[in-house]
Amino acid sequence: MGKAQKLVQWDPHNIKEKLLEKYPPKVARKRAKQIMINEALENTTPEIVANVRTIPGIITMRGCTYAGCKGVIMGPTSDVVNLVHGPIGCSFYAWLTRRNQTDGINEGMENYIPYCMSTDMQDSDIIFGGEKKLQAAIQEAYDIFKPKAIAIFATCPVGLIGDDIHAVAKKMKEKFGDCNVFAFSCEGYKGVSQSAGHHIANNQIFTHVVGDTKTEHTEKYKINLLGEYNIGGDGFEIDRILKKCGITNISTFSGNATYDKFAVAGQADLSCVMCHRSINYVADMLETKYGIPWIKINFIGAEATAKSLRKIAKYFDEQELIDRVEEVIAEEMPAVKNAITEVYPRTKGKTAMLFVGGSRAHHYQELFLELGMKTLSAGYEFGHRDDYEGRHVIPNLKVDADSRNIEEIEVEADPVLYRPRKTPEEMAALEKAGVDFKEYEGLNPMMEENTMVVDDLNQYEAEKLVELLKPDLFCAGIKEKFSIQKLGVPMKQLHSYDSGGPYAGFVGAVNFYNEIDRLVNSKVWSYMKAPWQENPELSATYAWE
Amino acid sequence: MLLRHTPKEIKERKALMINPAKTCQPIGAMYASLGIKGCLPHSHGSQGCCSYHRSTLTRHYKEPISAATSSFTEGASVFGGQANLLQAINNIFTVYEPEVIAVHTTCLSETIGDDLPQIFAKAIREKTVPEGKTVLGAGTPSYVGSHVTGFSNMVKAMAALAKEPVKKNGKINLIPGWVEPSDMEELKRLAALVGAKINMFPDTSGVLDGPLNGKYTMYPDGGTPIADIKDSGNAIGTLALGEWCSADAARLLDTKCKVPCSILDMPFGLKATDRFIDALRIVAGRSVPEEISVERGKLVDMISDMHQYFYGKKVALVGDPDQLIAMTEFLVSIDMCPIHIITGTPGKKFEKRIKEITKDMGREVNVKAKGDMFLLHQWMKNEPVDLLIGNTYCKYIARDEDVPFVRWGFPILDRQGHQHFPTVGYKGGLRLLEKILGVLLDRKDRDDPEEVFELVL
């Protein structure tokens, strides 16, 4: 692993050609549209094809709809019993494997996160149907745990054999009276990735939970934090900062969430969207039904955090809050500055690649900018075109055959609860002042010209990119980690954070700087060759004195 | 308390599984496939399964686990996945160039009834499978059995590749069952010491315990060559370790190729290793070298040296049936008391076998096949134990109940060493004892009052 090998300056078009040359013609044609060279064009960004079916046999990084629904959106919620209707695997693999932290750890609070519950379908359930077993399992869960809610998740065979999980849920909800039971048709084969599962989860949470509360929030500056899952304590750090600023986060979807925190979302003054991909549906529905506007924010990166806080303060437009936010930024920044001053000389000029789910491949570029590192290539597993190119392309998006059956629900303004948070004049003034509502500019504008954006990266392309571009750091998930590291390139997991974190907010930025410094400067990468491999020629024999 | 909603009072559950002591078939098939040289496992279903299985194996081994998937969409789920699999086979051989593709199924493709042999025949007919390359497959419906069943089904599919016997090759087929790469390595070492010529499959040593040297090869040097698997029909006999993991394959070789077989327990602990070595020497017609007898003597020595810390200690155990049977026997043989034993894998024989092994322990044993860790935890609340042995998920119980805990089995997600240091054989026995003593004596050192705190134990 000599740095001296890193001479070749590749033309991105050459690299794209290299990536495609081994493919069968049909595959090459398809992949060509999902690999984009970020070029500045007249007023437009180049198009990319995304959210399309995975090529069989290509060794994708993607997961399924169930993972997007149960694993991502519902998994972090502590006081809802998540019951998986299917054979045992789906529930087993989603058991504590995403690092959603919760503070629901105190006696008297409900916390079902360490439990894995399943109907463990057997062949007889496949043959004769599993509704009876599901009903019995719901009853048993209710009898043992007495939870306030039970969520049911469908897996692949459930849809095929025709179990009506929604009817069972409804029946049991009526029977119990004090326990909300609702179901998610998130069979793994739906859509083309985790993304469909997000959508399904959004719809059902909005339909069955949002609004079901007696809690009333009367605090000043109430926000919802949408699309933040408290991996490695990110949400804790964001909440710490918000609280310090005097902003009340009444509802996080769904890091450290509880049933009631979902339920009160309709009472916020503003929704702040962190992960656009997974939760933009809820953001839109909250606006339509309750009149809550939403803005895109990003708490990954110290500068991005400061910028997001200022954006929120600007929205509320009160000097007291604006001043407080500036005070907090001024208090937090010195520690950040100290940390970056320390590591910057060792990280500056290094290069990275980021291939993460549906939002982090964008957000983390803020941190790499702060470290003086260049992102050579990035992409999502399951982003849609709007996550790459910005929401302005949404009117042009066509839903293809593979995603057509994902339910779209119609939401209307609530006759009682709908209340515009700002007058149209106020909204216009805010927009003029630079607060973009309902807007997300996507990943592409963040990246330099001639970098490569690759959708649904696969194992072959990952290896090729590393071989050709020789980055100093590769970011993706557990499945990619060890093959990349075998190549002698440090690999940072940006799903699980390699058991580290938090990386959000100011404290998170410092953690991340130190972690990246550790990775790109670790001594281990210099041990790839043994002394006898470095100099295999035996030029002299050892002479004992 | 992490599991504070687990009540002491046990109510019978008929439908709800909580904290399973098993997972589903395909991951076992994927693990077995990785024990074939130059093989890419392939999951015929929707892609979520494949990602989950790869992730779990990766977390367990901290090694790359490659596998492909048919990536079913809703259309394929309704009309069949043949087109997906044919495309996948073509793409895999073109892009990833394995020698072998080992296909397993999921609950999706099994429910819709995709016919693997028919699809393979079509792929071969259409020359999607290049000359000299192999495609094999096993049905692994997730709604039957457990991950152990999936492992067994894939090993059986390997045995099905055995060619009609021509001439005895003088080798013994050794089917090791679902053990770690380090264990497979140890079995090969023991066989070599005895002088028995073996043909072991599957063999994940050299595959899932690879070095870091700046190179990545999808197909490391390890694994059983497909030619050796095909040659298994010419063996003089088969030793199959573990009824649940290995017996089906051994019996198939017996009926198909007339290769006689013996089903042995997995060689964990003293007695099961004794039986393994004894069987090996008899079928190979060799005498056991002194070196192995010395290894055995060392294990017996350690048992006698430290017996006071084992005697009468109560143990809770959870894991897979073949491993549990041997472990229970080992614990009983050193005068420990395994009192709560759970496997998630079904099979009536399991409870019977455990009762037999523990019959002279002087007390009833709680044992259940198709059980779960929720029940195990409840048993532990009703009768506490001195030691818990199981996979990583047990750490939640161990912490809540403050019980010394040894990680053993699958998956181990939070500690290292299992792919490098064996737990089978006499040497493996020494390591197991070292681990057990380690946690028991750490506990003693932590809990002893200062006035009786001891330097020498």
Side-chain angles (χ1 to χ4, degrees), chain A residues 22-24 26-27 53-64 66-67 71 83 87-97 104-112 114-123 126 132-134 136-137 140-141 143-145 155-157 160-161 188-194 402 405 458-461 463 478-480 482-483 485-488 524-525 527-529, chain B residues 1-7 11-20 22-27 40 42 46-56 58-59 62-75 77-78 83-85 87-92 94-97 107-108 111-112 142-145 147 209-216 218 346 370 373-374 391 393 396 410-411 413:
Chain A
K22 204 177 180 188
Y23 288 140
K26 262 174 80 177
V27 174
R53 67 167 66 170
T54 315
I55 297 166
I58 205 73
I59 314 197
T60 178
M61 294 155 67
R62 283 175 170 176
C64 68
Y66 160 83
L83 172 56
I88 199 67
C90 307
S91 61
F92 180 88
Y93 303 114
W95 183 15
L96 292 165
T97 46
I105 47 170
N106 306 310
E107 287 298 330
M109 295 178 82
E110 291 168 84
N111 175 22
Y112 304 111
Y115 292 93
C116 165
M117 301 193 216
S118 168
T119 55
D120 185 26
M121 287 176 100
Q122 300 296 303
D123 43 359
I126 300 293
K132 272 193 186 143
K133 192 172 193 185
L134 174 61
E140 288 173 5
D143 292 342
I144 295 170
F145 299 109
T155 59
C156 287
L160 300 174
I161 62 172
Y189 54 74
K190 289 197 169 161
V192 297
S193 67
Q194 290 93 312
D402 294 320
N405 289 341
N458 57 55
Q459 182 164 318
Y460 173 73
E461 290 166 11
E463 218 186 299
I478 184 76
K479 300 193 296 296
E480 295 75 42
F482 299 101
S483 58
Q485 290 200 162
K486 293 278 187 204
L487 291 165
V524 70
W525 310 113
Y527 305 149
M528 293 304 116
K529 280 199 165 72
Chain B
M1 299 284 265
L2 289 155
L3 298 167
R4 63 171 171 275
H5 302 294
T6 305
K11 274 189 209 155
E12 204 202 339
R13 281 172 287 130
K14 285 203 166 74
L16 180 66
M17 166 82 78
I18 313 174
N19 299 352
K22 66 167 180 182
T23 181
C24 65
Q25 283 209 36
I27 195 172
L40 187 71
H42 181 87
S46 63
Q47 68 209 10
C49 312
C50 186
S51 275
Y52 275 140
H53 301 144
R54 290 176 63 200
S55 299
T56 304
T58 304
R59 290 179 182 121
K62 319 293 182 212
E63 285 286 304
I65 307 286
S66 295
T69 162
S70 297
S71 293
F72 273 52
T73 56
E74 190 156 20
S77 308
V78 177
N84 291 54
L85 185 50
Q87 268 183 59
I89 291 172
N90 185 34
N91 291 337
I92 290 167
T94 312
V95 180
Y96 293 106
E97 306 175 80
C107 48
L108 177 55
T111 304
I112 64 177
S142 316
Y143 44 77
V144 175
H147 56 296
D209 51 1
L212 176 59
N213 56 16
K215 283 182 291 216
Y216 170 58
M218 263 180 86
K370 280 180 94 169
M373 289 193 198
F374 190 77
N391 69 26
Y393 283 99
Y396 288 76
F410 177 84
L413 309 170

Side-chain angles (χ1 to χ4, degrees), chain A residues 165-274:
Chain A
I165 57 172
H166 300 282
V168 175
K170 190 162 174 251
K171 184 175 158 191
M172 296 311 276
K173 179 183 174 172
E174 280 162 12
K175 183 181 175 197
F176 298 146
D178 62 351
C179 174
N180 192 359
V181 187
F182 48 97
F184 298 83
S185 289
C186 53
E187 285 86 348
Y189 54 74
K190 289 197 169 161
V192 297
S193 67
Q194 290 93 312
S195 179
H198 302 147
H199 198 165
I200 291 162
N202 278 230
N203 289 350
Q204 296 303 85
I205 272 288
F206 196 80
T207 308
H208 293 280
V209 184
V210 174
D212 180 29
T213 182
K214 292 194 179 72
T215 309
E216 262 188 61
H217 280 283
T218 53
E219 302 93 328
K220 252 186 147 181
Y221 316 129
K222 297 186 295 291
I223 66 159
N224 297 321
L225 181 59
L226 304 183
E228 159 48 52
Y229 301 99
N230 202 23
I231 305 288
D234 277 352
F236 292 152
E237 164 66 1
I238 296 170
D239 280 349
R240 178 189 73 83
I241 297 167
L242 291 173
K243 200 171 164 196
K244 207 169 161 187
C245 293
I247 300 164
T248 309
N249 171 20
I250 61 167
S251 177
T252 305
F253 279 57
S254 50
N256 193 29
T258 57
Y259 185 88
D260 199 50
K261 283 193 195 166
F262 285 132
V264 298
Q267 301 174 22
D269 304 316
L270 173 71
S271 294
C272 298
V273 173
M274 183 89 171

